[in-house]
DNA sequence: CGTACACTTGAGTAGGATCAATTGAAGTGG
DNA sequence: CCACTTCAATTGATCCTACTCAAGTGTACG
């Protein structure tokens, strides 16, 4: 439905499907993210969303967006900031899927998710415990489930991660970043709506 | 440099590099597009831009953006609209690179570019003549140059395209869309800044 | 003319896909 | 409480898509 939401609690993901069922997860959503902007602006969303954990959302009425832009230009600016951040995450994911090897891709994805979780305010063990299954990872990286598993096992053998209880425990973020050849950009002041 | 531009004429592309030189083209820019929004909002751009043909740009001063948001909420809305459209194009490209076969990817990319060129106001043969080389295509699709060439030859043999003069002539857009299993979403009213 | 770049083609290889089967944990219903 | 199903993770074996290496052609340009 064409509403705009702010995520207050929980994890989810955005994905697209091909007619024959192939699925591509394009990004994850977590607290502080804006969901449904495309639908609000352009009439219909070109992707679907699914929850990974129970989520708590704050609803904006679809029509309110224009009046918010008139009444609160600084909030409008923040909305655009968040859209722009989403764009740069997608750029990074595209680089990963297009040009990194399977191992690098997995390492990048996990480091990326932990970094985002921390910046979303999750602290301690909560940020390093990702509520995703290997099929989510496969459909994010553009790999088969089997190969994703083998790749994960390799990184697990090196002590970088551990899979248990349909969640992934990230043990060494810096190690993963090195594997992925990822230089995390410094995130400036980040608006929370 | 951290300015904001509107493209008036010409084609270009946005790309990212890995430390060892691997390149991923994340999207193309053409007339009517906004360039440099990330830099204006978040301080630094996480990608580079290169021109494919001579380009004519209209410059916005970087600091003006906030005052534009205060003075012209409807323009601010249009800026967000364009950012949101960029996001949905990136989603689509990610689906393509992650889940389509080489042939499907190439077919999708060409159909996508022609569709965009038309919606940017290029008419007649100009829209079907794409000013890109096969290495651009390779770095967009996440394929090697050699395999891109072989894939292109296959589609050329079926009469869907023709390569000449470091440009690609698209002969049958509908055929390409069918090959790619791409259902082009209807684009609503589109703002030009 | 010589160099550079875009495109092309052949041959051999490898990274990842597919097919198939097993284990274990978590419901679910009788 | 136990058969039955389902779903996540795992592993082996085989196949194929796409990569790498290598060489050759044509065109543009200094």
């Amino acid at each position: 439905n064409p509403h705009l939401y702010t995520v207050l609690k929980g994890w989810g993901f955005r994905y697209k499907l091909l007619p024959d069922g192939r699925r591509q997860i394009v990004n994850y959503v977590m607290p502080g993210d804006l969901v449904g902007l495309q639908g609000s602006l352009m009439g219909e969303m070109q992707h679907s969303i699914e929850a990974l954990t129970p989520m708590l959302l704050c609803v904006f009425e679809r029509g309110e967006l224009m009046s918010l832009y008139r009444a609160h230009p600084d909030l409008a600016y923040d909305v655009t900031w968040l859209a722009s951040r989403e764009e740069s995450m997608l750029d990074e994911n595209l680089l990963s899927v297009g040009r990194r090897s399977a191992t690098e891709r997995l390492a990048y994805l996990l480091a990326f998710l932990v970094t985002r979780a921390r910046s979303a305010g999750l602290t301690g063990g909560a940020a390093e415990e990702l509520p995703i299954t290997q099929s989510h990872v496969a459909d994010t990286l553009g790999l088969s489930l089997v190969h994703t598993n083998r790749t994960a096992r390799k990184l697990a053998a090196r002590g970088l991660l551990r899979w248990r209880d349909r969640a992934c425990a990230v043990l060494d973020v810096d190690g993963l970043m090195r594997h992925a050849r990822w230089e995390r950009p410094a995130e400036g002041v980040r608006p929370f709506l």
Side-chain angles (χ1 to χ4, degrees), chain A:
Chain A
N1 44 9
H3 283 318
L4 183 61
Y5 304 91
T6 313
V7 178
L8 298 178
K9 250 187 205 162
W11 295 54
F13 60 94
R14 299 195 300 120
Y15 66 95
K16 290 176 76 77
L17 294 174
L18 287 174
D20 64 359
R22 283 174 282 178
R23 179 177 73 168
Q24 177 67 36
I25 296 181
V26 291
N27 204 0
Y28 292 83
V29 301
M30 44 186 94
D33 289 346
L34 218 50
V35 165
L37 189 59
Q38 289 182 30
S40 297
L41 286 166
M42 308 194 307
E44 201 172 354
M45 261 198 326
Q46 308 298 335
H47 59 258
S48 312
I49 300 212
E50 211 177 294
L52 286 165
T53 66
M55 296 181 74
L56 185 60
L57 302 174
C58 171
V59 189
F60 279 81
E61 281 302 321
R62 176 212 171 115
E64 283 178 26
L65 193 60
M66 193 59 209
S67 41
L68 179 128
Y69 265 62
R70 292 196 208 286
H72 302 285
D74 44 338
L75 284 182
Y77 193 87
D78 288 346
V79 168
T80 312
W81 194 99
L82 287 171
S84 188
R85 172 169 169 271
E86 177 77 17
E87 194 183 307
S88 86
M89 290 191 284
L90 290 173
D91 288 352
E92 194 81 56
N93 289 348
L94 203 41
L95 172 65
S96 202
V97 174
R99 285 304 181 207
R100 278 194 250 248
S101 71
T103 315
E104 292 170 335
R105 270 183 239 187
L106 178 56
Y108 161 73
L109 177 64
L110 299 179
F112 165 73
L113 287 175
V114 168
T115 302
R116 275 193 71 186
R118 285 180 182 158
S119 119
L122 280 70
T123 54
E128 277 77 17
E129 192 80 14
L130 309 173
I132 50 176
T133 68
Q134 294 184 5
S135 13
H136 294 124
V137 174
D139 285 350
T140 308
L141 302 181
L143 297 171
S144 74
L145 183 52
V146 173
H147 197 63
T148 299
N149 179 277
R150 286 193 229 273
T151 308
R153 301 253 74 218
K154 254 184 267 177
L155 290 182
R158 297 193 197 173
L160 296 168
L161 58 90
R162 187 170 33 200
W163 229 283
R164 61 159 194 252
D165 266 1
R166 51 203 70 183
C168 176
V170 175
L171 305 176
D172 178 0
V173 184
D174 293 328
L176 290 172
M177 285 178 56
R178 254 176 282 121
H179 264 277
R181 294 172 175 72
W182 182 42
E183 287 130 29
R184 175 179 40 198
E187 184 174 271
V189 271
R190 177 230 165 115
F192 283 91
L193 293 187

